Amino acid sequence: MSFFFILCANFSSSSESSAPGESSGYLLVHTNGGLNQMRAGICDMVAVARIIHATLVVPELDKNSFWQDTSIFSDVFDEDYFISSLASDVKIVRKLPKDMSGVTKAVKHFRSWSGMDYYKEEISSLWEDYKVIRAAKSDSRLANNNLPPDIQKLRCRACYEALRFSPQIEAMGKLLVDRMRAYGPYIALHLRYEKDMLAFSGCTHGLSVAEADELKKIRDDTSYWKIKDIDSEEQRSKGYCPLTPTEVAMLLTALGYPSNTPIYIAAGEIYGGDAHMGELLTRYPLLMSKEKLASVEELERFLKHASQMAALDYIVSVASAVFIPTYSGNMARAVEGHRRYLGHQKTVTPDRKLLVRLFDKVERGKLREGRPLATRVIELHKKRQGSPRKRKGPISGTKGMDRFRSEESFYVNPLPDCLCQRQSSLSTGTSSAIR
């Protein structure tokens, strides 16, 4: 017997009704962060609206984040589809009714990682005095675990089905996917070697003194980045740094990917450009990106909007034969979760902490590339390829908010809530040019 998983994100048979009850008022939502942080927050707020019997007003996107993107909801997402596809779960309106615009609103920072009792008691009690509740932030406002099955399933339907991108983004994304597939099964490489990431994390391994100084100045000048003095090598040794393009080249070689493997770079501008991409490009010349696959004219409408450009990378990454993130940020987590939902498509999550130790040994001449390195790298990643497993709970010994913070995010792994195991007497195998 073999086992496989099927989608089971619809309401359970024991549910009384999927229809939303009578609305108690309106929920306004101000999302925060980049594209994937906002996506998760929006889906949480769909569930919260259901819990507190609210009519959800189409959320406002963050225009004040690092990227300063002016996009509104309908620029990034298919607003009509979002509203209609969730109609049996939550009532959603485009705007607050005019007769409600002047009423006093309850502005709340919903408590992070909260469960049903918090929303049913503390937040729902606000309806006694207010007709409009405004959520000042949307990220991580709902617990990952210990929620009713139907609320968890609703989060999945919102994230992976209702919250699809706007028609123009979907069309451009499909075009990029088709052009990548013309080269064969491809790897989507989320290469977080961008200026903002390196400045924030304080990771300067392999950079020049001038480059390191430039990144430190950016960090010092960014007021809401609280940590200013960072030991780069300590960060790297703990696995807190994104892999460099050279380290990625060594990883891909060690994992056995041939030099003619098509690779899509899902990222913004790589810091230092060709100066830091040389080794990766030498080993894997079929390196593609949005800018290489599409003309300036095709990308023109998206170019000045970071969230829309990120959405294109998201689409191409979800559709790839293999997804490899070089850092565990919001994009990496969101794509991994989506690929798990679609059938546990292959996602190789590098063990950065142990990899850099191996790469340093190679640099010092204590370990050779080829079979000696490959054997160790392959062994390290046998269980890091997106195969089915239950979502990880909190780290043992953690308490309070640290306990919730240490849990694996619901949107990284929707198993078991939205994926059900089935038994099959037949063994099904798949083959691909990319393993």
Side-chain angles (χ1 to χ4, degrees):
M1 289 289 183
S2 60
F3 293 92
F4 65 99
F5 290 83
I6 62 168
L7 295 180
C8 54
N10 291 324
F11 273 91
S12 63
S13 58
S14 61
S15 176
E16 293 181 6
S17 172
S18 65
E22 183 178 349
S23 176
S24 299
Y26 293 89
L27 175 62
L28 297 175
V29 176
H30 178 79
T31 60
N32 58 292
L35 172 69
N36 293 293
Q37 193 172 339
M38 290 193 291
R39 275 175 57 90
I42 290 166
C43 298
D44 275 2
M45 290 300 108
V46 167
V48 168
R50 171 88 183 191
I51 295 167
I52 66 174
H53 304 293
T55 295
L56 177 67
V57 179
V58 168
E60 305 167 23
L61 300 191
D62 191 344
K63 296 178 175 61
N64 300 312
S65 65
F66 180 89
W67 298 273
Q68 298 289 300
D69 192 334
T70 59
S71 299
I72 62 174
F73 190 95
S74 59
D75 292 328
V76 181
F77 303 108
D78 188 333
E79 186 172 284
D80 291 340
Y81 186 77
F82 178 67
I83 294 171
S84 63
S85 64
L86 291 171
S88 62
D89 303 302
V90 177
K91 184 178 180 182
I92 304 174
V93 296
R94 287 177 174 79
K95 294 181 180 179
L96 192 66
K98 288 183 178 179
D99 62 342
M100 290 281 113
S101 59
V103 303
T104 302
K105 303 172 181 63
V107 180
K108 290 283 290 184
H109 281 77
F110 293 164
R111 192 175 66 201
S112 298
W113 299 296
S114 293
M116 295 292 286
D117 290 347
Y118 170 77
Y119 284 106
K120 281 192 167 183
E121 296 170 10
E122 185 170 333
I123 299 303
S124 290
S125 68
L126 295 171
W127 295 133
E128 296 173 10
D129 301 307
Y130 301 94
K131 285 296 181 185
V132 180
I133 299 173
R134 180 179 179 84
K137 285 190 172 184
S138 64
D139 64 321
S140 303
R141 303 297 127 174
L142 198 58
N144 291 305
N145 304 303
N146 302 316
L147 294 173
D150 285 342
I151 292 299
Q152 298 289 58
K153 293 176 190 297
L154 175 56
R155 293 168 88 180
C156 281
R157 292 200 305 282
C159 190
Y160 305 121
E161 297 173 22
L163 199 60
R164 69 185 185 190
F165 294 113
S166 63
Q168 62 269 21
I169 291 175
E170 288 284 347
M172 189 69 235
K174 182 180 184 303
L175 189 63
L176 294 173
V177 170
D178 289 345
R179 289 176 181 176
M180 275 306 303
R181 285 178 173 167
Y183 292 98
Y186 66 91
I187 293 173
L189 179 66
H190 186 43
L191 190 59
R192 283 298 268 128
Y193 207 71
E194 301 148 322
K195 183 182 287 187
D196 65 298
M197 181 70 247
L198 298 176
F200 173 76
S201 61
C203 296
T204 59
H205 181 80
L207 299 181
S208 68
V209 173
E211 289 171 327
D213 288 344
E214 180 187 22
L215 296 176
K216 187 176 188 310
K217 186 177 188 306
I218 293 171
R219 188 165 63 253
D220 290 342
D221 292 345
T222 306
S223 60
Y224 51 87
W225 290 353
K226 302 303 180 186
I227 301 175
K228 304 298 182 182
D229 294 320
I230 299 176
D231 184 323
S232 174
E233 289 307 311
E234 182 180 349
Q235 284 281 95
R236 183 169 175 270
S237 68
K238 291 180 178 179
Y240 297 161
C241 289
L243 296 177
T244 70
T246 297
E247 290 169 343
V248 170
M250 296 171 70
L251 170 64
L252 294 176
T253 302
L255 288 173
Y257 292 110
S259 62
N260 64 349
T261 302
I263 298 175
Y264 178 85
I265 302 294
E269 185 177 352
I270 302 302
Y271 187 57
D274 291 344
H276 295 304
M277 291 290 286
E279 184 66 21
L280 182 56
L281 187 57
T282 297
R283 296 195 192 198
Y284 295 94
L286 280 180
L287 283 184
M288 298 295 166
S289 63
K290 298 181 292 295
E291 294 78 9
K292 287 184 179 180
L293 290 170
S295 66
V296 174
E297 290 75 22
E298 288 173 317
L299 290 175
E300 186 175 11
R301 68 186 303 170
F302 312 108
L303 285 172
K304 295 182 180 179
H305 302 283
S307 58
Q308 297 181 46
M309 292 289 275
L312 295 175
D313 281 343
Y314 185 96
I315 291 170
V316 183
S317 296
V318 169
S320 64
V322 183
F323 176 62
I324 303 179
T326 64
Y327 189 76
S328 54
N330 289 313
M331 165 81 166
R333 292 192 288 267
V335 172
E336 179 182 352
H338 202 150
R339 289 171 66 82
R340 285 180 177 277
Y341 183 78
L342 294 175
H344 294 94
Q345 298 169 356
K346 188 171 183 177
T347 298
V348 179
T349 307
D351 188 331
R352 297 188 303 277
K353 183 176 180 179
L354 295 181
L355 278 175
V356 296
R357 294 181 187 176
L358 295 177
F359 295 153
D360 286 348
K361 286 184 177 181
V362 172
E363 191 175 323
R364 294 194 302 267
K366 293 186 176 181
L367 181 66
R368 288 186 299 107
E369 278 205 75
R371 181 171 291 183
L373 177 63
T375 300
R376 298 192 187 188
V377 169
I378 290 170
E379 184 63 31
L380 273 180
H381 295 88
K382 277 184 177 178
K383 296 183 178 180
R384 302 177 68 94
Q385 300 189 32
S387 57
R389 61 168 176 77
K390 287 187 177 181
R391 188 167 56 255
K392 296 175 183 176
I395 294 175
S396 178
T398 54
K399 297 179 180 179
M401 282 299 175
D402 286 339
R403 179 176 174 81
F404 294 112
R405 193 174 286 111
S406 71
E407 291 178 332
E408 185 173 29
S409 167
F410 177 84
Y411 297 107
V412 172
N413 186 3
L415 182 69
D417 311 274
C418 305
L419 295 164
C420 298
Q421 192 175 56
R422 292 289 184 269
Q423 194 175 62
S424 171
S425 60
L426 298 176
S427 175
T428 59
T430 60
S431 61
S432 172
I434 288 189
R435 292 170 295 164

mmCIF file of all heavy atoms in Angstrom, residues 229-268:
data_model
loop_
_atom_site.group_PDB
_atom_site.id
_atom_site.type_symbol
_atom_site.label_atom_id
_atom_site.label_comp_id
_atom_site.label_asym_id
_atom_site.label_seq_id
_atom_site.Cartn_x
_atom_site.Cartn_y
_atom_site.Cartn_z
ATOM 1 N N ASP A 229 24.544 47.157 14.897
ATOM 2 C CA ASP A 229 25.871 46.526 14.892
ATOM 3 C C ASP A 229 25.710 45.011 14.793
ATOM 4 O O ASP A 229 25.190 44.360 15.706
ATOM 5 C CB ASP A 229 26.640 46.889 16.165
ATOM 6 C CG ASP A 229 26.968 48.377 16.228
ATOM 7 O OD1 ASP A 229 27.328 48.942 15.178
ATOM 8 O OD2 ASP A 229 26.828 48.969 17.314
ATOM 9 N N ILE A 230 26.137 44.459 13.672
ATOM 10 C CA ILE A 230 25.958 43.029 13.408
ATOM 11 C C ILE A 230 27.299 42.411 13.011
ATOM 12 O O ILE A 230 28.027 42.963 12.187
ATOM 13 C CB ILE A 230 24.938 42.808 12.276
ATOM 14 C CG1 ILE A 230 23.569 43.391 12.666
ATOM 15 C CG2 ILE A 230 24.796 41.325 11.946
ATOM 16 C CD1 ILE A 230 22.523 43.312 11.573
ATOM 17 N N ASP A 231 27.619 41.273 13.624
ATOM 18 C CA ASP A 231 28.825 40.523 13.277
ATOM 19 C C ASP A 231 28.470 39.597 12.117
ATOM 20 O O ASP A 231 27.767 38.593 12.283
ATOM 21 C CB ASP A 231 29.294 39.705 14.489
ATOM 22 C CG ASP A 231 30.608 38.978 14.239
ATOM 23 O OD1 ASP A 231 30.822 38.504 13.095
ATOM 24 O OD2 ASP A 231 31.410 38.850 15.178
ATOM 25 N N SER A 232 28.939 39.934 10.929
ATOM 26 C CA SER A 232 28.560 39.207 9.721
ATOM 27 C C SER A 232 28.927 37.731 9.789
ATOM 28 O O SER A 232 28.121 36.862 9.440
ATOM 29 C CB SER A 232 29.224 39.845 8.499
ATOM 30 O OG SER A 232 28.977 39.074 7.339
ATOM 31 N N GLU A 233 30.135 37.431 10.221
ATOM 32 C CA GLU A 233 30.572 36.030 10.233
ATOM 33 C C GLU A 233 29.811 35.212 11.268
ATOM 34 O O GLU A 233 29.532 34.029 11.057
ATOM 35 C CB GLU A 233 32.086 35.943 10.480
ATOM 36 C CG GLU A 233 32.920 36.417 9.297
ATOM 37 C CD GLU A 233 32.529 35.716 7.985
ATOM 38 O OE1 GLU A 233 32.418 34.461 7.972
ATOM 39 O OE2 GLU A 233 32.322 36.417 6.970
ATOM 40 N N GLU A 234 29.448 35.844 12.382
ATOM 41 C CA GLU A 234 28.633 35.148 13.380
ATOM 42 C C GLU A 234 27.249 34.848 12.803
ATOM 43 O O GLU A 234 26.714 33.747 12.995
ATOM 44 C CB GLU A 234 28.502 35.995 14.648
ATOM 45 C CG GLU A 234 27.701 35.303 15.755
ATOM 46 C CD GLU A 234 27.570 36.147 17.008
ATOM 47 O OE1 GLU A 234 28.255 37.176 17.116
ATOM 48 O OE2 GLU A 234 26.764 35.761 17.875
ATOM 49 N N GLN A 235 26.675 35.834 12.100
ATOM 50 C CA GLN A 235 25.382 35.627 11.442
ATOM 51 C C GLN A 235 25.452 34.444 10.481
ATOM 52 O O GLN A 235 24.575 33.577 10.450
ATOM 53 C CB GLN A 235 25.004 36.887 10.645
ATOM 54 C CG GLN A 235 24.496 38.052 11.466
ATOM 55 C CD GLN A 235 23.049 37.864 11.866
ATOM 56 O OE1 GLN A 235 22.754 37.373 12.966
ATOM 57 N NE2 GLN A 235 22.130 38.262 11.007
ATOM 58 N N ARG A 236 26.500 34.434 9.691
ATOM 59 C CA ARG A 236 26.652 33.394 8.676
ATOM 60 C C ARG A 236 26.822 32.026 9.318
ATOM 61 O O ARG A 236 26.239 31.032 8.855
ATOM 62 C CB ARG A 236 27.849 33.727 7.788
ATOM 63 C CG ARG A 236 28.092 32.761 6.639
ATOM 64 C CD ARG A 236 29.128 33.315 5.672
ATOM 65 N NE ARG A 236 29.455 32.342 4.632
ATOM 66 C CZ ARG A 236 30.426 31.447 4.719
ATOM 67 N NH1 ARG A 236 31.188 31.397 5.819
ATOM 68 N NH2 ARG A 236 30.659 30.595 3.733
ATOM 69 N N SER A 237 27.609 31.950 10.379
ATOM 70 C CA SER A 237 27.864 30.650 11.025
ATOM 71 C C SER A 237 26.601 30.068 11.657
ATOM 72 O O SER A 237 26.487 28.853 11.826
ATOM 73 C CB SER A 237 28.954 30.794 12.092
ATOM 74 O OG SER A 237 28.485 31.571 13.185
ATOM 75 N N LYS A 238 25.639 30.924 11.982
ATOM 76 C CA LYS A 238 24.383 30.456 12.574
ATOM 77 C C LYS A 238 23.322 30.145 11.512
ATOM 78 O O LYS A 238 22.208 29.743 11.842
ATOM 79 C CB LYS A 238 23.847 31.515 13.546
ATOM 80 C CG LYS A 238 24.697 31.677 14.804
ATOM 81 C CD LYS A 238 24.104 32.739 15.719
ATOM 82 C CE LYS A 238 24.910 32.879 17.003
ATOM 83 N NZ LYS A 238 24.354 33.923 17.893
ATOM 84 N N GLY A 239 23.668 30.379 10.239
ATOM 85 C CA GLY A 239 22.726 30.107 9.161
ATOM 86 C C GLY A 239 21.734 31.220 8.922
ATOM 87 O O GLY A 239 20.683 31.011 8.312
ATOM 88 N N TYR A 240 22.061 32.438 9.391
ATOM 89 C CA TYR A 240 21.140 33.562 9.281
ATOM 90 C C TYR A 240 21.349 34.398 8.022
ATOM 91 O O TYR A 240 20.668 35.401 7.824
ATOM 92 C CB TYR A 240 21.267 34.480 10.503
ATOM 93 C CG TYR A 240 20.890 33.850 11.825
ATOM 94 C CD1 TYR A 240 21.315 34.395 13.026
ATOM 95 C CD2 TYR A 240 20.107 32.691 11.868
ATOM 96 C CE1 TYR A 240 20.974 33.820 14.249
ATOM 97 C CE2 TYR A 240 19.770 32.108 13.077
ATOM 98 C CZ TYR A 240 20.197 32.678 14.270
ATOM 99 O OH TYR A 240 19.859 32.102 15.468
ATOM 100 N N CYS A 241 22.289 34.014 7.187
ATOM 101 C CA CYS A 241 22.573 34.789 5.974
ATOM 102 C C CYS A 241 22.060 34.062 4.736
ATOM 103 O O CYS A 241 22.116 32.836 4.664
ATOM 104 C CB CYS A 241 24.085 35.000 5.816
ATOM 105 S SG CYS A 241 24.788 36.153 7.015
ATOM 106 N N PRO A 242 21.588 34.825 3.749
ATOM 107 C CA PRO A 242 21.247 34.179 2.480
ATOM 108 C C PRO A 242 22.499 33.631 1.827
ATOM 109 O O PRO A 242 23.586 34.201 1.984
ATOM 110 C CB PRO A 242 20.639 35.328 1.660
ATOM 111 C CG PRO A 242 21.195 36.573 2.254
ATOM 112 C CD PRO A 242 21.382 36.290 3.706
ATOM 113 N N LEU A 243 22.386 32.524 1.129
ATOM 114 C CA LEU A 243 23.536 31.982 0.411
ATOM 115 C C LEU A 243 23.987 32.975 -0.659
ATOM 116 O O LEU A 243 23.164 33.635 -1.297
ATOM 117 C CB LEU A 243 23.188 30.652 -0.239
ATOM 118 C CG LEU A 243 22.837 29.479 0.694
ATOM 119 C CD1 LEU A 243 22.454 28.256 -0.132
ATOM 120 C CD2 LEU A 243 23.973 29.168 1.642
ATOM 121 N N THR A 244 25.289 33.073 -0.867
ATOM 122 C CA THR A 244 25.809 33.931 -1.932
ATOM 123 C C THR A 244 25.621 33.218 -3.277
ATOM 124 O O THR A 244 25.455 31.991 -3.320
ATOM 125 C CB THR A 244 27.298 34.225 -1.717
ATOM 126 O OG1 THR A 244 28.034 33.009 -1.947
ATOM 127 C CG2 THR A 244 27.584 34.731 -0.310
ATOM 128 N N PRO A 245 25.656 33.950 -4.390
ATOM 129 C CA PRO A 245 25.545 33.281 -5.690
ATOM 130 C C PRO A 245 26.603 32.198 -5.903
ATOM 131 O O PRO A 245 26.312 31.151 -6.488
ATOM 132 C CB PRO A 245 25.719 34.442 -6.681
ATOM 133 C CG PRO A 245 25.215 35.640 -5.946
ATOM 134 C CD PRO A 245 25.646 35.422 -4.521
ATOM 135 N N THR A 246 27.827 32.432 -5.397
ATOM 136 C CA THR A 246 28.879 31.422 -5.528
ATOM 137 C C THR A 246 28.541 30.172 -4.722
ATOM 138 O O THR A 246 28.736 29.041 -5.184
ATOM 139 C CB THR A 246 30.233 31.992 -5.071
ATOM 140 O OG1 THR A 246 30.593 33.084 -5.927
ATOM 141 C CG2 THR A 246 31.327 30.936 -5.121
ATOM 142 N N GLU A 247 28.020 30.367 -3.506
ATOM 143 C CA GLU A 247 27.618 29.226 -2.678
ATOM 144 C C GLU A 247 26.467 28.463 -3.328
ATOM 145 O O GLU A 247 26.413 27.227 -3.267
ATOM 146 C CB GLU A 247 27.217 29.718 -1.284
ATOM 147 C CG GLU A 247 28.404 30.211 -0.465
ATOM 148 C CD GLU A 247 27.997 30.941 0.806
ATOM 149 O OE1 GLU A 247 26.821 31.359 0.913
ATOM 150 O OE2 GLU A 247 28.857 31.115 1.693
ATOM 151 N N VAL A 248 25.556 29.172 -3.966
ATOM 152 C CA VAL A 248 24.450 28.522 -4.672
ATOM 153 C C VAL A 248 24.982 27.657 -5.819
ATOM 154 O O VAL A 248 24.516 26.535 -6.039
ATOM 155 C CB VAL A 248 23.454 29.570 -5.217
ATOM 156 C CG1 VAL A 248 22.437 28.915 -6.152
ATOM 157 C CG2 VAL A 248 22.736 30.270 -4.069
ATOM 158 N N ALA A 249 25.980 28.176 -6.537
ATOM 159 C CA ALA A 249 26.583 27.408 -7.631
ATOM 160 C C ALA A 249 27.165 26.101 -7.111
ATOM 161 O O ALA A 249 26.989 25.031 -7.721
ATOM 162 C CB ALA A 249 27.672 28.247 -8.304
ATOM 163 N N MET A 250 27.850 26.160 -5.971
ATOM 164 C CA MET A 250 28.421 24.951 -5.374
ATOM 165 C C MET A 250 27.330 23.983 -4.927
ATOM 166 O O MET A 250 27.446 22.767 -5.085
ATOM 167 C CB MET A 250 29.321 25.338 -4.198
ATOM 168 C CG MET A 250 30.537 26.165 -4.603
ATOM 169 S SD MET A 250 31.445 26.828 -3.175
ATOM 170 C CE MET A 250 32.153 25.322 -2.502
ATOM 171 N N LEU A 251 26.247 24.530 -4.363
ATOM 172 C CA LEU A 251 25.133 23.693 -3.904
ATOM 173 C C LEU A 251 24.494 22.958 -5.068
ATOM 174 O O LEU A 251 24.272 21.736 -5.002
ATOM 175 C CB LEU A 251 24.093 24.573 -3.199
ATOM 176 C CG LEU A 251 22.752 23.907 -2.865
ATOM 177 C CD1 LEU A 251 22.947 22.777 -1.860
ATOM 178 C CD2 LEU A 251 21.747 24.935 -2.340
ATOM 179 N N LEU A 252 24.170 23.673 -6.138
ATOM 180 C CA LEU A 252 23.507 23.050 -7.283
ATOM 181 C C LEU A 252 24.379 21.966 -7.915
ATOM 182 O O LEU A 252 23.887 20.905 -8.298
ATOM 183 C CB LEU A 252 23.148 24.113 -8.324
ATOM 184 C CG LEU A 252 22.103 25.155 -7.903
ATOM 185 C CD1 LEU A 252 21.926 26.198 -9.004
ATOM 186 C CD2 LEU A 252 20.771 24.492 -7.591
ATOM 187 N N THR A 253 25.681 22.254 -8.012
ATOM 188 C CA THR A 253 26.610 21.263 -8.563
ATOM 189 C C THR A 253 26.642 20.016 -7.687
ATOM 190 O O THR A 253 26.594 18.881 -8.180
ATOM 191 C CB THR A 253 28.020 21.856 -8.687
ATOM 192 O OG1 THR A 253 27.974 23.022 -9.517
ATOM 193 C CG2 THR A 253 28.988 20.855 -9.290
ATOM 194 N N ALA A 254 26.724 20.234 -6.374
ATOM 195 C CA ALA A 254 26.789 19.107 -5.438
ATOM 196 C C ALA A 254 25.506 18.284 -5.458
ATOM 197 O O ALA A 254 25.542 17.057 -5.271
ATOM 198 C CB ALA A 254 27.063 19.619 -4.028
ATOM 199 N N LEU A 255 24.357 18.941 -5.695
ATOM 200 C CA LEU A 255 23.083 18.213 -5.756
ATOM 201 C C LEU A 255 22.911 17.452 -7.066
ATOM 202 O O LEU A 255 21.958 16.690 -7.224
ATOM 203 C CB LEU A 255 21.914 19.190 -5.575
ATOM 204 C CG LEU A 255 21.717 19.749 -4.154
ATOM 205 C CD1 LEU A 255 20.638 20.827 -4.156
ATOM 206 C CD2 LEU A 255 21.360 18.646 -3.165
ATOM 207 N N GLY A 256 23.828 17.680 -8.008
ATOM 208 C CA GLY A 256 23.832 16.902 -9.240
ATOM 209 C C GLY A 256 23.120 17.522 -10.418
ATOM 210 O O GLY A 256 22.898 16.847 -11.433
ATOM 211 N N TYR A 257 22.773 18.800 -10.328
ATOM 212 C CA TYR A 257 22.103 19.438 -11.462
ATOM 213 C C TYR A 257 23.129 19.765 -12.545
ATOM 214 O O TYR A 257 24.142 20.408 -12.281
ATOM 215 C CB TYR A 257 21.381 20.710 -11.010
ATOM 216 C CG TYR A 257 20.203 20.403 -10.106
ATOM 217 C CD1 TYR A 257 20.235 20.717 -8.751
ATOM 218 C CD2 TYR A 257 19.075 19.761 -10.614
ATOM 219 C CE1 TYR A 257 19.169 20.418 -7.916
ATOM 220 C CE2 TYR A 257 18.004 19.448 -9.781
ATOM 221 C CZ TYR A 257 18.055 19.789 -8.440
ATOM 222 O OH TYR A 257 16.998 19.466 -7.619
ATOM 223 N N PRO A 258 22.881 19.318 -13.796
ATOM 224 C CA PRO A 258 23.849 19.547 -14.874
ATOM 225 C C PRO A 258 23.893 21.015 -15.297
ATOM 226 O O PRO A 258 22.982 21.791 -14.999
ATOM 227 C CB PRO A 258 23.320 18.658 -16.007
ATOM 228 C CG PRO A 258 21.859 18.521 -15.728
ATOM 229 C CD PRO A 258 21.719 18.539 -14.238
ATOM 230 N N SER A 259 24.929 21.374 -16.010
ATOM 231 C CA SER A 259 25.157 22.765 -16.380
ATOM 232 C C SER A 259 24.108 23.319 -17.343
ATOM 233 O O SER A 259 23.948 24.536 -17.456
ATOM 234 C CB SER A 259 26.549 22.922 -17.008
ATOM 235 O OG SER A 259 26.638 22.145 -18.191
ATOM 236 N N ASN A 260 23.374 22.436 -18.027
ATOM 237 C CA ASN A 260 22.349 22.906 -18.959
ATOM 238 C C ASN A 260 20.966 23.027 -18.312
ATOM 239 O O ASN A 260 19.951 23.149 -19.004
ATOM 240 C CB ASN A 260 22.269 21.995 -20.184
ATOM 241 C CG ASN A 260 21.839 20.576 -19.835
ATOM 242 O OD1 ASN A 260 21.790 20.209 -18.663
ATOM 243 N ND2 ASN A 260 21.537 19.773 -20.848
ATOM 244 N N THR A 261 20.909 22.987 -16.982
ATOM 245 C CA THR A 261 19.646 23.142 -16.266
ATOM 246 C C THR A 261 19.144 24.579 -16.391
ATOM 247 O O THR A 261 19.859 25.515 -16.036
ATOM 248 C CB THR A 261 19.813 22.802 -14.770
ATOM 249 O OG1 THR A 261 20.298 21.464 -14.629
ATOM 250 C CG2 THR A 261 18.495 22.950 -14.029
ATOM 251 N N PRO A 262 17.913 24.792 -16.874
ATOM 252 C CA PRO A 262 17.370 26.154 -16.909
ATOM 253 C C PRO A 262 17.062 26.636 -15.488
ATOM 254 O O PRO A 262 16.478 25.890 -14.688
ATOM 255 C CB PRO A 262 16.080 26.006 -17.721
ATOM 256 C CG PRO A 262 16.125 24.643 -18.337
ATOM 257 C CD PRO A 262 16.977 23.810 -17.441
ATOM 258 N N ILE A 263 17.460 27.844 -15.173
ATOM 259 C CA ILE A 263 17.243 28.400 -13.834
ATOM 260 C C ILE A 263 16.601 29.772 -13.955
ATOM 261 O O ILE A 263 17.095 30.644 -14.679
ATOM 262 C CB ILE A 263 18.570 28.506 -13.055
ATOM 263 C CG1 ILE A 263 19.187 27.122 -12.856
ATOM 264 C CG2 ILE A 263 18.342 29.177 -11.698
ATOM 265 C CD1 ILE A 263 20.553 27.139 -12.195
ATOM 266 N N TYR A 264 15.501 29.949 -13.256
ATOM 267 C CA TYR A 264 14.827 31.247 -13.199
ATOM 268 C C TYR A 264 15.216 31.933 -11.895
ATOM 269 O O TYR A 264 15.031 31.381 -10.808
ATOM 270 C CB TYR A 264 13.308 31.067 -13.258
ATOM 271 C CG TYR A 264 12.549 32.380 -13.154
ATOM 272 C CD1 TYR A 264 12.314 33.156 -14.285
ATOM 273 C CD2 TYR A 264 12.069 32.838 -11.926
ATOM 274 C CE1 TYR A 264 11.628 34.359 -14.193
ATOM 275 C CE2 TYR A 264 11.380 34.036 -11.831
ATOM 276 C CZ TYR A 264 11.167 34.796 -12.966
ATOM 277 O OH TYR A 264 10.492 35.998 -12.876
ATOM 278 N N ILE A 265 15.773 33.130 -11.997
ATOM 279 C CA ILE A 265 16.162 33.899 -10.808
ATOM 280 C C ILE A 265 14.961 34.716 -10.351
ATOM 281 O O ILE A 265 14.571 35.701 -10.986
ATOM 282 C CB ILE A 265 17.347 34.833 -11.104
ATOM 283 C CG1 ILE A 265 18.547 34.037 -11.615
ATOM 284 C CG2 ILE A 265 17.714 35.619 -9.842
ATOM 285 C CD1 ILE A 265 19.149 33.087 -10.613
ATOM 286 N N ALA A 266 14.353 34.293 -9.252
ATOM 287 C CA ALA A 266 13.213 35.011 -8.677
ATOM 288 C C ALA A 266 13.759 35.973 -7.628
ATOM 289 O O ALA A 266 14.012 35.588 -6.491
ATOM 290 C CB ALA A 266 12.237 34.023 -8.049
ATOM 291 N N ALA A 267 13.963 37.197 -8.032
ATOM 292 C CA ALA A 267 14.573 38.175 -7.126
ATOM 293 C C ALA A 267 14.518 39.551 -7.743
ATOM 294 O O ALA A 267 14.219 39.714 -8.938
ATOM 295 C CB ALA A 267 16.029 37.796 -6.840
ATOM 296 N N GLY A 268 14.836 40.536 -6.916
ATOM 297 C CA GLY A 268 15.022 41.885 -7.426
ATOM 298 C C GLY A 268 16.446 42.007 -7.951
ATOM 299 O O GLY A 268 17.088 41.011 -8.294
#
